[in-house]
Amino acid sequence: MQMMMQNGVRMRALNAAAIGGKTFATMPPFDYSPPTYEGMSKQEALEIRKKHIAHAVHRQFYYKDPPMFVAGKRQYLFDETGRRYLDLWGGISTVSAGHSHDKIREAINKQLGTLQHTSNVFLHNKVNEYAKLMMEKFPKESGLSCIYFCNSGSEANDLAIMMARAYTGALEIVGLKKAYHGSSAGNLSLTALPLYRRHSMPTVNVSHTMCPDPYRGIWGGSKCRDGPCQTLRSCDCQDDECHAAEMYAQQYKDHLFHVCPSGGGLAGFIAEGIGGMSASMMAPKGFFKKAYAITKEYGGVNIMDEVQTGFGRLGTHYWAFEYHGVKPDIITAAKSIGNGYPVAMVVSTPEVSEAFANSGFHFNTFGGNALSSAAGIATLQAIDEDDLMRNSDVVGTRFLEGFNELRSKYDIIGDCRGKGLFMCLELVESQSNNTPLPLYHMMALHETIKNHGIIMGRTGPFGNCFRIQPPMCVSADDADFTLGVLDTVLSDYVSGNIDVEKFKSN
């Protein structure tokens, strides 16, 4: 297929159209029409949402004019008018195999016709079939072999903390600054982002060490990350040894020296393999190996939060702990695990699992029920059968290489980063100062990108990052379309053709 250039950024000729002498990206063709929508109007839905949906929820709109999604297929969403959008956020990194995946839908419908629910205090076949299949996804040498199924990532992380404390007999949990592990009462203390901590009352025995951020952190530079996107600042790291990783690991060790001065009392260290709400924050190469060794020196367990990184999204590895070459004692997983169906799990070593069982009675009404197990089984099979881990690698690399090109062209792109289909663009006033782009400017850009037919996340401690974690079936043509849209929108922005002032709050 012929390749063309739009203002220096590559895009396929298939995805371009000329209007009034200007070239615009056009969405790739898709042979599907959603059912005709016959439900309530968008206006009525907005009124009900405002009146009856909790304030904490109904105020969370990303857009001034939010689309009302009523259907989805593979990597696309459809609003009530039938307009198609490219979904680059996958319901917050949750839709893995694709919207309304035939295999997963059929598996759920079939299970509904036999046994929908019975608690795990009874024996039923589906959860055991699911556990057997899930264990095939873990390297035997990992030592992870005991699964506690639950319903959400927050719940899984709560359980992981309880397990760490039960196993070690200690209380202190250490996480990373800028981390997100959920917003439940138990996890809010671990979530170290200002948006979630404004008026919270964190629980005790939780602390945070320095975020190992090669872009905004004290250390790090152009040799610290694995992958096509590096920071623009230089560093003195070598190919076989990352100085930044060592310095951040020593910060962690110094932190433990102060919070666990006797050399004990550490229950666990928890971190995401790549940060989610911290906008694809990638630790320097080798950091996790060093940090995990320090945890063991203090008698703690290592917990890898795989809620967003798991199930092949990173492209080269099924799990982030494999990518980092470490052996956690506990991992948590959710989101992509059920392709949008509420499923989650904690996987631990047998020793941790035994200690947790002996610490008290623990029960979960819905975890591992027949219907969620059927959805989980079908999702694992769909990811394999559709070769989605390889697709994440190939298409993710295409996105990331394009982001590098856009950063070379636009001074407002301070950083681009990611691995596989776990990516981010961070926007700034200028690469010379890396001052976060004002929030209302981000809102204007976000709305404009949506108007071009692309849905993506907006996140980061300053709200200045576009977050891209699409269904793993997204295509190379979708990547080229996205790069073309971003090129158009950023060009319009720097030319002053986007009205940002109307997004400025009073």
Side-chain angles (χ1 to χ4, degrees), residues 2 6 68 73 109 122 129 156 195 219 228 247 267 278 290 292 294 311 323 329 353 364 380 395 423 433 452 455 473:
Q2 182 184 359
Q6 176 176 312
M68 184 171 76
K73 191 68 176 176
N109 288 339
F122 304 102
E129 293 173 11
L195 181 65
W219 303 286
M247 297 305 292
S278 58
K290 297 175 185 294
Y292 273 32
I294 293 168
F311 304 97
Y323 162 58
D329 303 280
S353 183
N364 191 301
L380 291 179
V395 179
M423 303 168 286
N433 57 33
H452 280 267
I455 303 299
C473 57

Side-chain angles (χ1 to χ4, degrees), residues 381-398:
Q381 293 171 337
I383 290 171
D384 286 350
E385 292 169 7
D386 296 351
D387 202 12
L388 296 184
M389 188 165 87
R390 187 189 67 82
N391 191 65
S392 295
D393 186 27
V394 172
V395 179
T397 299
R398 193 180 191 92

Side-chain angles (χ1 to χ4, degrees), residues 22-268:
K22 187 173 182 179
T23 302
F24 293 88
T26 57
M27 196 175 294
F30 187 59
D31 187 19
Y32 174 80
S33 296
T36 301
Y37 177 68
E38 298 177 348
M40 70 170 59
S41 68
K42 177 179 173 179
Q43 184 58 41
E44 183 183 1
L46 286 168
E47 291 170 358
I48 291 174
R49 180 181 173 107
K50 185 175 182 179
K51 186 175 181 180
H52 296 298
I53 302 298
H55 293 68
V57 177
H58 83 67
R59 291 175 181 170
Q60 289 184 27
F61 276 142
Y62 273 138
Y63 302 113
K64 273 185 172 292
D65 181 20
M68 184 171 76
F69 298 124
V70 300
K73 191 68 176 176
R74 293 185 61 79
Q75 65 269 41
Y76 297 110
L77 290 166
F78 299 84
D79 69 14
E80 80 283 5
T81 70
R83 183 184 177 183
R84 177 164 57 108
Y85 295 79
L86 174 60
D87 180 10
L88 291 185
W89 207 15
I92 313 183
S93 195
T94 298
V95 178
S96 48
H99 292 284
S100 192
H101 192 286
D102 292 343
K103 184 183 187 74
I104 300 169
R105 185 185 68 249
E106 290 166 5
I108 292 172
N109 288 339
K110 182 179 178 181
Q111 189 62 43
L112 277 170
T114 53
L115 177 66
Q116 180 173 344
H117 174 79
T118 185
S119 171
N120 275 325
V121 298
F122 304 102
L123 181 65
H124 68 92
N125 62 310
K126 275 298 170 183
V127 70
N128 298 292
E129 293 173 11
Y130 189 22
K132 180 181 178 182
L133 184 61
M134 183 64 75
M135 279 295 96
E136 294 176 5
K137 304 303 177 186
F138 287 85
K140 288 184 179 180
E141 61 272 18
S142 72
L144 299 169
S145 61
C146 296
I147 308 174
Y148 193 127
F149 287 111
C150 51
N151 309 291
S152 71
S154 292
E155 187 178 17
N157 284 329
D158 275 339
L159 280 165
I161 299 311
M162 293 170 67
M163 289 180 179
R165 287 171 170 163
Y167 177 70
T168 61
L171 293 175
E172 188 69 26
I173 299 292
V174 178
L176 297 175
K177 292 178 181 178
K178 301 184 185 179
Y180 177 83
H181 297 289
S183 53
S184 65
N187 284 319
L188 197 56
S189 297
L190 282 169
T191 293
L193 287 165
L195 181 65
Y196 293 88
R197 297 284 292 267
R198 238 179 254 169
H199 304 293
S200 66
M201 186 63 68
T203 55
V204 296
N205 297 115
V206 172
S207 60
H208 300 86
T209 186
M210 186 181 289
C211 179
D213 183 353
Y215 173 60
R216 291 198 174 273
I218 298 174
W219 303 286
S222 58
K223 299 178 183 178
C224 293
R225 291 180 183 151
D226 171 59
C229 296
Q230 299 287 348
T231 66
L232 294 178
R233 67 183 186 182
S234 61
C235 64
D236 57 0
C237 301
Q238 304 300 315
D239 291 338
D240 58 346
E241 183 63 30
C242 180
H243 172 70
E246 177 64 26
M247 297 305 292
Y248 287 118
Q250 287 305 312
Q251 283 291 311
Y252 174 42
K253 190 167 187 175
D254 181 70
H255 178 79
L256 291 181
F257 175 78
H258 289 87
V259 299
C260 302
S262 65
L266 177 65

Side-chain angles (χ1 to χ4, degrees), residues 461-497:
F462 307 104
N464 67 319
C465 300
F466 286 135
R467 186 170 159 198
I468 300 165
Q469 293 167 238
M472 292 156 62
C473 57
V474 70
S475 72
D477 284 340
D478 294 317
D480 293 334
F481 166 60
T482 301
L483 295 170
V485 166
L486 287 171
D487 192 28
T488 296
V489 171
L490 293 174
S491 176
D492 285 345
Y493 171 79
V494 298
S495 301
N497 294 326

Side-chain angles (χ1 to χ4, degrees), residues 409-430:
K409 179 178 179 181
Y410 295 104
D411 188 50
I412 64 166
I413 299 179
D415 194 32
C416 50
R417 53 187 177 262
K419 182 170 178 58
L421 291 175
F422 201 116
M423 303 168 286
C424 167
L425 285 172
E426 182 157 354
L427 302 191
V428 295
E429 291 181 355
S430 169

